[in-house]
Amino acid sequence: MTSEGPPPLPPPPTPSPSPDVSARDADHRLHPMSWLFVLVQQLKSFIVPLGAILVFGRRGDNMYELWGLVGVGVLVVISLWQYFTYRYGVVGEALVVRSGLLERSLRVIPFARIHNVALQQHLLHRLFGVAEVRLESAGGQKPEAEMRVLKLDDALALERLIRRRAGAAATGETGVGDEPSPVLLHLPPGEVLRLGLISNRGMVVVAAATAAFFQFGGDDAIEGFAEAGVRNAVGWAGEHHYGTVDYALAAAALVLVLLVMVRALSVVLAFLQYHGFTLSEQGRRLTVERGLLGRWRTSASRRRIQAWTLREGLLHRLFRRRSLEVDTAVSQEGHQQQRALRELAPVATPADCDALVEHLLPQAGWGALEWRPLPARTWWRLFLPVVPFCLLLTALLYWRFDGWGLLGLAWLPWAVFKSRQHARRIGHALSGELIAVREGWWSRHWRFAEIDKLQALQLTRSPMDRRWGTATLRLDTAGANALGPPLRIRFLPVDDARALHDRLAETLSTRPLRW
């Protein structure tokens, strides 16, 4: 993607937004082929009912079979209607969007309200040289504006204009966003390959495809295929007089082949999603661009970052890599959360991740944090929840396999070892600007946030906490990922937990909340 070409938007006629904005101020159209992309988007929503009409329609009834084509024709008309009635333009320090003809809508969006600009290009977008633009705000239920689609040069020029005006509105300075964009991180093909080997995206796709297949009645087909395959394999093995060891080796080889295929799929998905990944910085905004067939570009202000997560799984350690993610205050709608600026470093060396944190949080002193471990007896708290599950599993195995089922108790020594290792690494750190938590052994993570970004503090005590004289301090920020690790400090002695809670509460009461 290039950013050359004259910007399509004229200079604003007034230095500040006018309260009397009219529809005539929005005088820029979408791309002439935008109706096609709107049609494709609408067809995705109606593909199931339209397909059902075409497939299950009564044979011999021509009018009934044409209902699907009539539906497509209606969607084409709607798409063309949106193209001819959609306008946008700039008035002062705001973007004006007009849509509709019979039921008209006029939106005035101040640049200061726009917190994220997302540009997306699928393969069809790239063939036509266009891009889809979404303007998002913090905490909104949906995007402030969606433009399907603009010419790529127009989309980039609009992004530059919004970034410049939004930065000027936030800092009170002119010329914000005109400086060059230094690259903070770039992933060459070798790093994308490592990302594919580390990630488990292939297994997620396989699981989703299998669930969808069963959902639509494919369980009988899978059962028949599996039964026929097992019958043929057993018959072939019987003819060659294979023994138990041969069966075990064949099963292990089959599992190994399946794992290799899943990892290969993960590598392919990684290249499709993260090819050419580039994290750049312009003023106070961060921009990420990535993708092979489709390009995805999004930007957000650094002050919108609410919390940070460093991840390090077993495969990360084998490749000596980590990943760095952030939570940003953006639209709360599910698919908008997925398009938000979230991954600053999908995969990078520990030194590169630490350097990114030090650069983006220069006052936090990330490298100089003093981590406070928990008391050594904490491992019991991690081990005890495993005991009922292990005993129940052993009882079921004993009921099914008699004495061999007692082997389930072998899980207890492993659980003790794992709990001890986990407890050794649990800790928290507090500086004048940052609160951080680390947990995990097999799969590790560091979760931290600026104190000024905390929105709520909660001190909780379970029955186990009351028995052991401990408490849990939960810290809440905006835009938290529900699937990510929580920002919490567990198993603190109750006096230490209350002292830390009071200290953070006092600090927050004297500082303004930053978004």
Side-chain angles (χ1 to χ4, degrees):
M1 296 173 61
T2 61
S3 59
E4 299 179 356
L9 300 175
T14 58
S16 60
S18 171
D20 300 323
V21 178
S22 66
R24 294 188 299 272
D25 295 317
D27 56 357
H28 291 80
R29 290 178 178 269
L30 299 175
H31 189 272
M33 295 300 296
S34 64
W35 66 271
L36 175 62
F37 296 91
V38 174
L39 175 62
V40 171
Q41 186 68 27
Q42 292 177 341
L43 285 177
K44 291 180 181 180
S45 303
F46 292 95
I47 190 66
V48 174
L50 290 177
I53 291 176
L54 294 176
V55 173
F56 300 106
R58 293 178 297 177
R59 299 187 181 276
D61 191 341
N62 294 332
M63 291 299 298
Y64 191 84
E65 294 176 355
L66 288 177
W67 276 116
L69 297 178
V70 172
V72 173
V74 172
L75 294 179
V76 170
V77 173
I78 294 175
S79 304
L80 290 172
W81 185 273
Q82 178 171 335
Y83 165 71
F84 284 110
T85 59
Y86 194 99
R87 300 288 189 277
Y88 72 97
V90 174
V91 177
E93 300 301 323
L95 181 71
V96 181
V97 177
R98 174 174 65 87
S99 60
L101 183 60
L102 300 179
E103 183 178 351
R104 299 183 179 181
S105 172
L106 179 65
R107 299 198 65 187
V108 180
I109 310 170
F111 290 125
R113 183 179 174 85
I114 300 173
H115 299 146
N116 184 37
V117 182
L119 272 66
Q120 188 170 7
Q121 282 187 297
H122 297 306
L123 183 58
L124 187 61
H125 291 100
R126 301 186 71 179
L127 291 176
F128 283 90
V130 297
E132 182 177 331
V133 181
R134 285 182 174 85
L135 310 178
E136 301 168 356
S137 64
Q141 296 296 327
K142 61 181 181 179
E144 293 291 335
E146 291 184 89
M147 300 179 180
R148 300 191 182 102
V149 288
L150 300 180
K151 187 179 178 181
L152 181 58
D153 291 341
D154 294 351
L156 292 172
L158 180 61
E159 181 198 34
R160 290 195 302 271
L161 176 65
I162 293 175
R163 183 171 55 201
R164 182 168 60 250
R165 298 293 183 83
T171 62
E173 301 175 359
T174 59
V176 175
D178 294 327
E179 62 272 14
S181 303
V183 175
L184 301 181
L185 180 68
H186 176 73
L187 297 187
E191 290 296 317
V192 180
L193 175 62
R194 290 185 180 91
L195 175 61
L197 295 175
I198 292 173
S199 67
N200 204 24
R201 290 177 174 83
M203 182 60 71
V204 174
V205 172
V206 171
T210 303
F213 196 72
F214 275 98
Q215 182 70 24
F216 289 98
D219 50 344
D220 294 336
I222 292 181
E223 182 179 352
F225 178 79
E227 183 179 353
V230 171
R231 187 185 304 112
N232 294 333
V234 171
W236 184 82
E239 293 176 359
H240 292 77
H241 307 287
Y242 287 150
T244 304
V245 176
D246 299 315
Y247 280 117
L249 292 176
L254 178 60
V255 171
L256 180 60
V257 169
L258 292 177
L259 290 177
V260 170
M261 293 176 61
V262 170
R263 287 298 166 183
L265 178 59
S266 296
V267 170
V268 172
L269 293 175
F271 272 98
L272 290 176
Q273 296 176 3
Y274 294 96
H275 174 74
F277 179 95
T278 302
L279 172 67
S280 58
E281 180 183 31
Q282 189 169 33
R284 297 288 298 175
R285 297 190 71 84
L286 299 175
T287 300
V288 166
E289 186 174 353
R290 60 178 173 86
L292 181 59
L293 300 180
R295 297 296 289 175
W296 181 82
R297 176 186 174 98
T298 187
S299 64
S301 174
R302 283 166 50 178
R303 64 192 180 93
R304 295 297 162 188
I305 298 178
Q306 304 297 306
W308 309 65
T309 305
L310 268 172
R311 298 180 186 270
E312 185 184 81
L314 178 61
L315 291 178
H316 283 91
R317 292 198 293 278
L318 291 178
F319 285 97
R320 298 180 181 179
R321 294 295 186 272
R322 289 177 182 170
S323 62
L324 177 61
E325 302 173 0
V326 294
D327 297 337
T328 54
V330 295
S331 170
Q332 298 176 359
E333 193 171 323
H335 68 276
Q336 298 303 327
Q337 283 282 357
Q338 297 174 3
R339 294 189 175 99
L341 181 63
R342 185 169 299 279
E343 294 176 300
L344 297 187
V347 65
T349 63
D352 288 341
C353 290
D354 290 341
L356 270 178
V357 177
E358 291 281 3
H359 174 76
L360 298 175
L361 296 175
Q363 306 297 327
W366 169 252
L369 290 178
E370 296 182 3
W371 293 93
R372 302 177 184 177
L374 293 177
R377 67 177 183 274
T378 304
W379 73 271
W380 277 99
R381 299 292 304 278
L382 300 170
F383 171 70
L384 286 178
V386 181
V387 175
F389 171 78
C390 184
L391 294 179
L392 178 60
L393 178 62
T394 302
L396 293 176
L397 292 176
Y398 182 80
W399 173 75
R400 181 66 178 83
F401 300 103
D402 296 328
W404 290 101
L406 296 178
L407 292 176
L409 295 176
W411 184 262
L412 292 178
W414 165 254
V416 171
F417 175 76
K418 182 180 178 182
S419 300
R420 284 184 175 274
Q421 296 299 321
H422 188 176
R424 286 176 53 195
R425 288 168 174 81
I426 292 180
H428 69 279
L430 179 66
S431 68
E433 299 291 333
L434 198 71
I435 179 73
V437 178
R438 68 181 184 190
E439 283 200 24
W441 167 63
W442 191 267
S443 180
R444 306 172 184 175
H445 70 265
W446 293 257
R447 179 82 165 161
F448 51 98
E450 297 173 84
I451 296 178
D452 294 347
K453 301 295 181 66
L454 298 179
Q455 290 192 325
L457 307 174
Q458 184 181 16
L459 193 65
T460 60
R461 300 189 70 194
S462 66
M464 290 293 295
D465 284 319
R466 290 192 290 271
R467 168 65 180 82
W468 291 89
T470 59
T472 297
L473 180 60
R474 301 180 183 274
L475 313 169
D476 186 32
T477 60
N481 183 9
L483 301 179
L487 184 57
R488 65 181 180 184
I489 306 176
R490 297 192 291 171
F491 313 137
L492 275 177
V494 62
D495 293 337
D496 295 345
R498 288 171 177 167
L500 182 58
H501 176 276
D502 295 341
R503 178 181 174 183
L504 291 174
E506 182 180 359
T507 302
L508 291 176
S509 65
T510 59
R511 298 184 185 181
L513 178 65
R514 291 193 297 166
W515 281 79

